[in-house]
Amino acid sequence: MSTGVAVTATLAVAAALPAAPAQAAPQFDTTADLMSASSLSGTVYTAGDEAADDGAGMRFTVTNTLPDGIEGNIAVPLADNTWAVPQGLPTSPTRNADSAAVEDLLTRAQTFYDAGGQLIWDSSRPTPLTGTVVHSSTSAPYGVTCSTFVSMVLLGWDYQHTTYVSNENTQVGYAVDFGVDPTTSKIWRANNLASWFYANGDLWLETNGNYQRGDILFFSAQDPEGRIDQVRAGTEATYFGNVYHAAIYMGDGKLIHSTGTGDGVNITDLNPVLEADLSFVARPNFTAEAANTGGSTGSTSGSTTRTSEDGQSTVAAGDDAAPSTTTGNEQQNSTQVTNSGGVRAVTSVPPNRHFSRPIEDNRSWKSRRMASSASTSPANAE
């Protein structure tokens, strides 16, 4: 296979993800399988994240020392206290921002902020994404989380056209076509949302601050949300890229997101501690057409090829591939889609299952800031 050449849709969906190198480096079906391994060295591969055909395979280098910075935040911890560090990830967006879609996105995001105390961060309460008519089944303040907020905005909804207020959810603006019924999808966990964008070629590793207004920012850390024990026990799904939080970038160093303090949705600065955890960015591919009606879009036999920095091509299954059900929950020429708008499907999960926590509960911004600035002058303190 020639480097960088798109794989045609005639390839079998069951092709190895990613293509095994000539030296037959170890390849694992899922991230969970990789996490259970020990005595590894050199280069290893995963075929997918939660399933071998979910399009989220990666190449890793095994190291005995946890790297600093972003690489350390997204590294996969292995069973013998070594780490598998992702390699060859895209580092640039695949498209220019659509200014009209971006402004529409942020205008609708603002409506959730304007709801003020009508919303509160609470992962135990129903949201419009659970298929519940929220305003008639519970009383305000209504629940929201970081990922449900971002997802509702990406679906083309504003606050007034969700079941927080109305009797049905209605797309009123530009949307990302996820090709699924959002009320039965587990994609609305922050790391699953990042995984979807990665599998569809719209996610890159943040290395040089080239994110823009309207981009989706993801944040990662070792032991995300403090659930590594559950992940290792198999009672919780793995966290793609160790992602624990998602936010929408407003420009000028501002985020709009659900944080767990104050009202349900807040506008804050991208503070230094959170900025240190910024790992991935997605630039959504918007459509003004009706989307997310429950069926996959595009060809069912399409494939995506992602070419890493070392020339290895990784083949992602088409939009009929779906991750297995769990008990717990670039450059422009680097990503080529051979079908027409196809997206991978997402396995449904029971409603009312949420997998996020308020970021203050597990990131401890103030205490982490105090610890990291202990040796700095008071002028540099937050």
Side-chain angles (χ1 to χ4, degrees), residues 108 111-112 114 157-166 168:
R108 288 182 290 99
T111 66
F112 292 89
D114 291 341
W157 304 349
D158 64 12
Y159 177 73
Q160 290 80 10
H161 289 88
T162 65
T163 61
Y164 289 134
V165 178
S166 301
E168 61 183 5

Side-chain angles (χ1 to χ4, degrees), residues 294-318:
S296 296
T297 62
S299 168
T300 59
S301 59
S303 301
T304 301
T305 182
R306 181 182 297 107
T307 305
S308 62
E309 293 172 352
D310 66 348
Q312 287 289 339
S313 294
T314 66
V315 183

Side-chain angles (χ1 to χ4, degrees), residues 5-25:
V5 177
V7 179
T8 65
T10 57
L11 279 178
V13 171
L17 302 173
Q23 68 270 28

Side-chain angles (χ1 to χ4, degrees), residues 218-306:
F218 294 97
F219 303 85
S220 300
Q222 283 293 312
D223 193 7
E225 299 184 342
R227 296 182 177 182
I228 191 67
D229 290 341
Q230 293 94 318
V231 172
R232 289 198 179 281
T235 59
E236 172 95 24
T238 52
Y239 284 72
F240 173 86
N242 294 331
V243 167
Y244 68 85
H245 184 61
I248 302 174
Y249 187 62
M250 301 183 71
D252 298 323
K254 298 290 186 181
L255 302 176
I256 183 166
H257 53 159
S258 183
T259 62
T261 59
D263 295 329
V265 174
N266 300 287
I267 295 175
T268 72
D269 291 327
L270 177 56
N271 71 58
V273 174
L274 192 59
E275 186 174 20
D277 287 352
L278 176 55
S279 54
F280 298 105
V281 182
R283 180 162 297 164
N285 184 17
F286 291 105
T287 177
E289 304 299 322
N292 305 297
T293 56
S296 296
T297 62
S299 168
T300 59
S301 59
S303 301
T304 301
T305 182
R306 181 182 297 107

Side-chain angles (χ1 to χ4, degrees), residues 32-120:
D33 294 333
L34 176 61
M35 288 180 66
S36 299
S38 58
S39 301
L40 298 177
S41 62
T43 300
V44 298
Y45 290 78
T46 52
D49 179 33
E50 293 184 11
D53 58 359
D54 65 13
M58 287 187 181
R59 173 172 61 92
F60 302 82
T61 295
V62 177
T63 178
N64 294 323
T65 304
L66 183 66
D68 294 328
I70 296 174
E71 286 190 332
N73 287 350
I74 66 174
V76 176
L78 306 184
D80 56 358
N81 294 318
T82 59
W83 288 268
V85 183
Q87 302 293 321
L89 298 176
T91 56
S92 300
T94 60
R95 65 176 56 83
N96 293 325
D98 181 334
S99 59
V102 166
E103 296 312 311
D104 174 71
L105 174 88
L106 291 171
T107 297
R108 288 182 290 99
Q110 181 83 29
T111 66
F112 292 89
Y113 172 78
D114 291 341
Q118 290 293 108
L119 296 177
I120 186 173

